[in-house]
Structure formats: C-alpha cells, structure tokens
C-alpha cells in the first residue's frame, strides 16, 4: 500500500483538476466547432433550398440558367412544353410515340401560323388511326410522318430552332400530363446537343411514310 503525505496529496489533486479542465476545454472546443459546422451547413442548405424555391415560384417549374426541368402528373410539365414551343421562331423537329394532347397540338398549330417550319415523326402503331391528332396536324399543313421500322418508335423529344432540346419520359399525351409520373428537361442554347438530336429526328423522319 502506498501512502502520500499532504504535499503529495495536494500535487496529485491539482494534477487531476488540471486534466479534468483540459478535457472540459476540449469538449467545449469540439462542441463549438460542431455547432459552427452545423449552422454553416444549415445556412448553406437553407440558401440552396430558397434558391430552388425562388426559381420554381418564378417560372412554375425549375429553371436555372440554360436548363428547365418539370414533372407530372399536374406539376407543370405540360406548361413547360407549351412554353418551349411558343418560343420557337424558325423550326421544330419532333419525334413522338403517343400523341393525344390537344394543348400541345394547338401550340404547334400556332407556331405554324407564326411561320415556324415543323416536322413530326410518330410511331405508326400508336397513331395510324385517321382520327388521331397526328392526322389532324397533317391535315392542317404540318409535315407529319409515321414510322414503322421498329417494334415501337418510342422517342419523345423536340429540337427547337436548332439550339434547344426538350426530352424526357413525357409522351405528348393526356395521360402523361394528368395521370402518369413523368419527367422532362429542356436544354437551351446548346447547339452541340441539339445537332445530335436533330440528326436523329431527321433520320427517323426521312425513313418514315408521309401521312
């Protein structure tokens, strides 16, 4: 058994108290750093969330620089497509699987009245009936063709004025707008991407049968 005299006892006690104080200081420092990091991240997250919120509120769909994004059902995907068509000044090339949306058809007809040249290629099986919207557009002077070279021609995209692309899972249909979970993205002012889509659209159009 070891015995300490009063002086040793006092030194030992002081040493323990210093160690405890150092530990408490470390914990306090760590807590301060952790809180600083937390509030820093929280502030960034809040700013990021507010930026997205502002963009969505200002345009009714997410818009940032040269990218627009929207979803469905009933989350402004249809509005974004129509807005994109309404901005066309020279030409539109569209590849469509299912086409039953009257609002999109009307936007295309209005574009034609503005002098926009329009080409549409659609899947044969989904649009062969003479009462479909594709036939209606063809009857009103829009160049429309049906493609039956594949099991299905399942594309859904548009190229506007050779520099803007709209694409995604969204068919140009009533169901896509009001019932299905779909997405679209519009890429503006990118001729490199637009040229790739335009080449494919024209290829599909040229190999198809006129209505």
């Amino acid at each position: 058994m070891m015995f300490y005299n009063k002086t040793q006892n006092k030194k030992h006690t002081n040493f323990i108290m210093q160690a405890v104080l150092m530990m408490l200081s470390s914990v306090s420092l760590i807590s301060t750093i952790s809180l600083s990091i937390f509030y820093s991240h929280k502030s960034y997250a809040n700013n990021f969330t507010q930026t997205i919120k502002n963009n969505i509120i200002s345009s009714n769909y997410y818009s940032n620089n040269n990218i627009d994004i929207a979803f469905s059902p009933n989350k402004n995907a249809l509005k974004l497509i129509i807005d994109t068509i309404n901005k066309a000044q020279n030409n539109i090339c569209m590849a469509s699987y299912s086409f039953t949306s009257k609002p999109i058809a009307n936007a295309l007809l209005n574009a034609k009245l503005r002098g926009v040249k329009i080409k549409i290629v659609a899947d044969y099986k989904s649009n062969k009936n003479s009462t479909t919207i594709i036939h209606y557009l063809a009857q009103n002077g829009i160049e429309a063709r049906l493609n039956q070279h594949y099991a299905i021609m399942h594309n859904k995209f548009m190229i506007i004025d050779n520099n803007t692309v709209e694409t995604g899972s969204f068919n140009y249909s009533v169901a896509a707008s009001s019932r299905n979970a779909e997405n679209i993205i519009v890429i503006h002012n990118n001729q490199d991407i637009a040229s790739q889509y335009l080449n494919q659209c024209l290829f599909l159009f040229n190999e198809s049968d006129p209505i």
Side-chain angles (χ1 to χ4, degrees):
M1 182 180 294
M2 296 183 67
F3 296 92
Y4 293 95
N5 57 34
K6 290 183 179 180
T7 303
Q8 289 175 319
N9 238 359
K10 188 175 181 180
K11 287 181 178 179
H12 184 69
T13 301
N14 288 340
F15 175 78
I16 292 173
M17 288 180 66
Q18 288 176 3
V20 170
L21 287 172
M22 288 177 65
M23 289 175 63
L24 290 173
S25 296
S26 297
V27 171
S28 176
L29 178 61
I30 292 170
S31 299
T32 301
I33 293 172
S34 298
L35 285 171
S36 175
I37 292 171
F38 170 77
Y39 283 113
S40 175
H41 280 287
K42 185 177 180 181
S43 175
Y44 174 80
N46 288 340
N47 289 338
F48 181 74
T49 302
Q50 188 61 42
T51 298
I52 291 177
K53 185 177 179 182
N54 289 340
N55 283 329
I56 291 173
I57 290 172
S58 65
S59 62
N60 293 318
Y61 41 76
Y62 179 74
S63 182
N64 190 352
N65 295 326
N66 291 323
I67 301 290
D68 295 328
I69 298 170
F71 302 93
S72 68
N74 302 316
K75 291 184 180 178
N76 295 305
L78 178 61
K79 174 176 169 43
L80 176 53
I81 290 173
I82 291 173
D83 286 353
T84 304
I85 293 171
N86 288 343
K87 292 174 183 175
Q89 297 179 352
N90 300 306
N91 52 70
I92 296 173
C93 191
M94 171 191 281
S96 172
Y97 172 61
S98 175
F99 198 151
T100 62
S101 173
K102 290 181 180 179
I104 294 176
N106 287 334
L108 290 168
L109 288 173
N110 288 334
K112 181 182 181 298
L113 291 176
R114 297 195 308 271
V116 177
K117 296 180 180 179
I118 301 171
K119 295 184 189 311
I120 303 175
V121 54
D123 178 68
Y124 173 79
K125 293 176 185 176
S126 296
N127 300 277
K128 61 184 178 181
N129 192 305
S130 61
T131 60
T132 60
I133 282 182
I134 288 292
H135 284 79
Y136 174 74
L137 292 173
Q139 290 163 10
N140 283 273
I142 289 179
E143 289 188 80
R145 298 186 179 187
L146 298 179
N147 191 305
Q148 54 181 326
H149 290 276
Y150 312 94
I152 56 173
M153 205 289 296
H154 206 229
N155 288 294
K156 309 108 176 177
F157 64 80
M158 281 188 287
I159 306 92
I160 298 92
D161 293 339
N162 302 325
N163 66 1
T164 295
V165 173
E166 178 276 318
T167 188
S169 68
F170 190 101
N171 277 304
Y172 305 116
S173 67
V174 175
S177 174
S178 61
R179 297 194 295 274
N180 299 345
E182 308 281 4
N183 72 86
I184 64 169
I185 183 169
V186 179
I187 305 168
H188 300 275
N189 302 318
N190 193 318
Q191 290 186 347
D192 289 339
I193 292 176
S195 66
Q196 298 298 315
Y197 274 91
L198 181 59
N199 289 340
Q200 181 65 10
C201 189
L202 292 176
F203 173 80
L204 294 169
F205 182 87
N206 290 333
E207 71 176 0
S208 301
D209 300 318
I211 294 175

